[in-house]
mmCIF file of all heavy atoms in Angstrom:
data_model
loop_
_atom_site.group_PDB
_atom_site.id
_atom_site.type_symbol
_atom_site.label_atom_id
_atom_site.label_comp_id
_atom_site.label_asym_id
_atom_site.label_seq_id
_atom_site.Cartn_x
_atom_site.Cartn_y
_atom_site.Cartn_z
ATOM 1 N N ASP A 1059 -20.346 29.234 -14.733
ATOM 2 C CA ASP A 1059 -20.116 30.540 -14.072
ATOM 3 C C ASP A 1059 -20.849 30.525 -12.738
ATOM 4 O O ASP A 1059 -22.046 30.933 -12.650
ATOM 5 C CB ASP A 1059 -20.573 31.657 -14.986
ATOM 6 C CG ASP A 1059 -20.157 33.029 -14.471
ATOM 7 O OD1 ASP A 1059 -19.727 33.133 -13.278
ATOM 8 O OD2 ASP A 1059 -20.272 33.978 -15.213
ATOM 9 N N MET A 1060 -20.188 30.048 -11.739
ATOM 10 C CA MET A 1060 -20.804 29.973 -10.384
ATOM 11 C C MET A 1060 -21.150 31.335 -9.832
ATOM 12 O O MET A 1060 -22.200 31.457 -9.214
ATOM 13 C CB MET A 1060 -19.805 29.186 -9.437
ATOM 14 C CG MET A 1060 -20.478 28.886 -8.106
ATOM 15 S SD MET A 1060 -21.814 27.673 -8.314
ATOM 16 C CE MET A 1060 -22.141 27.339 -6.652
ATOM 17 N N ALA A 1061 -20.329 32.298 -10.105
ATOM 18 C CA ALA A 1061 -20.598 33.655 -9.597
ATOM 19 C C ALA A 1061 -21.919 34.206 -10.156
ATOM 20 O O ALA A 1061 -22.735 34.775 -9.459
ATOM 21 C CB ALA A 1061 -19.433 34.581 -9.923
ATOM 22 N N ALA A 1062 -22.116 33.993 -11.457
ATOM 23 C CA ALA A 1062 -23.378 34.463 -12.077
ATOM 24 C C ALA A 1062 -24.601 33.649 -11.511
ATOM 25 O O ALA A 1062 -25.624 34.252 -11.277
ATOM 26 C CB ALA A 1062 -23.307 34.287 -13.600
ATOM 27 N N PHE A 1063 -24.397 32.425 -11.297
ATOM 28 C CA PHE A 1063 -25.470 31.585 -10.769
ATOM 29 C C PHE A 1063 -25.796 32.084 -9.323
ATOM 30 O O PHE A 1063 -27.001 32.296 -9.006
ATOM 31 C CB PHE A 1063 -25.069 30.114 -10.683
ATOM 32 C CG PHE A 1063 -26.081 29.232 -10.039
ATOM 33 C CD1 PHE A 1063 -27.241 28.872 -10.759
ATOM 34 C CD2 PHE A 1063 -25.925 28.782 -8.735
ATOM 35 C CE1 PHE A 1063 -28.175 28.088 -10.163
ATOM 36 C CE2 PHE A 1063 -26.876 28.026 -8.131
ATOM 37 C CZ PHE A 1063 -28.022 27.649 -8.822
ATOM 38 N N VAL A 1064 -24.835 32.294 -8.487
ATOM 39 C CA VAL A 1064 -25.069 32.731 -7.093
ATOM 40 C C VAL A 1064 -25.802 34.068 -7.049
ATOM 41 O O VAL A 1064 -26.604 34.313 -6.190
ATOM 42 C CB VAL A 1064 -23.745 32.748 -6.309
ATOM 43 C CG1 VAL A 1064 -23.908 33.399 -4.950
ATOM 44 C CG2 VAL A 1064 -23.179 31.347 -6.131
ATOM 45 N N ARG A 1065 -25.504 34.940 -8.024
ATOM 46 C CA ARG A 1065 -26.201 36.258 -8.051
ATOM 47 C C ARG A 1065 -27.681 36.135 -8.271
ATOM 48 O O ARG A 1065 -28.463 36.955 -7.859
ATOM 49 C CB ARG A 1065 -25.550 37.136 -9.132
ATOM 50 C CG ARG A 1065 -24.186 37.745 -8.765
ATOM 51 C CD ARG A 1065 -23.804 38.863 -9.729
ATOM 52 N NE ARG A 1065 -23.710 38.454 -11.106
ATOM 53 C CZ ARG A 1065 -22.574 37.943 -11.694
ATOM 54 N NH1 ARG A 1065 -21.467 37.828 -10.955
ATOM 55 N NH2 ARG A 1065 -22.584 37.580 -12.928
ATOM 56 N N THR A 1066 -28.078 35.063 -8.966
ATOM 57 C CA THR A 1066 -29.523 34.949 -9.310
ATOM 58 C C THR A 1066 -30.202 33.869 -8.429
ATOM 59 O O THR A 1066 -31.419 33.647 -8.533
ATOM 60 C CB THR A 1066 -29.671 34.506 -10.770
ATOM 61 O OG1 THR A 1066 -29.029 33.271 -10.997
ATOM 62 C CG2 THR A 1066 -29.120 35.570 -11.686
ATOM 63 N N PHE A 1067 -29.484 33.177 -7.611
ATOM 64 C CA PHE A 1067 -30.052 32.119 -6.784
ATOM 65 C C PHE A 1067 -29.956 32.533 -5.309
ATOM 66 O O PHE A 1067 -28.867 32.934 -4.826
ATOM 67 C CB PHE A 1067 -29.272 30.787 -6.998
ATOM 68 C CG PHE A 1067 -29.756 29.653 -6.206
ATOM 69 C CD1 PHE A 1067 -30.989 29.049 -6.548
ATOM 70 C CD2 PHE A 1067 -29.062 29.133 -5.158
ATOM 71 C CE1 PHE A 1067 -31.476 27.969 -5.832
ATOM 72 C CE2 PHE A 1067 -29.549 28.045 -4.413
ATOM 73 C CZ PHE A 1067 -30.712 27.484 -4.763
ATOM 74 N N THR A 1068 -31.051 32.434 -4.603
ATOM 75 C CA THR A 1068 -31.053 32.947 -3.200
ATOM 76 C C THR A 1068 -30.707 31.843 -2.187
ATOM 77 O O THR A 1068 -30.594 32.148 -0.991
ATOM 78 C CB THR A 1068 -32.425 33.535 -2.877
ATOM 79 O OG1 THR A 1068 -33.443 32.530 -3.074
ATOM 80 C CG2 THR A 1068 -32.737 34.753 -3.750
ATOM 81 N N GLY A 1069 -30.618 30.628 -2.553
ATOM 82 C CA GLY A 1069 -30.343 29.534 -1.593
ATOM 83 C C GLY A 1069 -28.833 29.334 -1.426
ATOM 84 O O GLY A 1069 -28.020 30.158 -1.909
ATOM 85 N N VAL A 1071 -25.679 26.841 -2.096
ATOM 86 C CA VAL A 1071 -25.210 25.731 -2.962
ATOM 87 C C VAL A 1071 -24.268 24.865 -2.126
ATOM 88 O O VAL A 1071 -23.291 25.349 -1.587
ATOM 89 C CB VAL A 1071 -24.504 26.269 -4.184
ATOM 90 C CG1 VAL A 1071 -23.945 25.080 -5.002
ATOM 91 C CG2 VAL A 1071 -25.489 27.081 -5.026
#
Side-chain angles (χ1 to χ4, degrees):
D1059 189 348
M1060 188 66 172
F1063 177 78
V1064 170
R1065 283 193 302 271
T1066 62
F1067 181 72
T1068 57
V1071 176

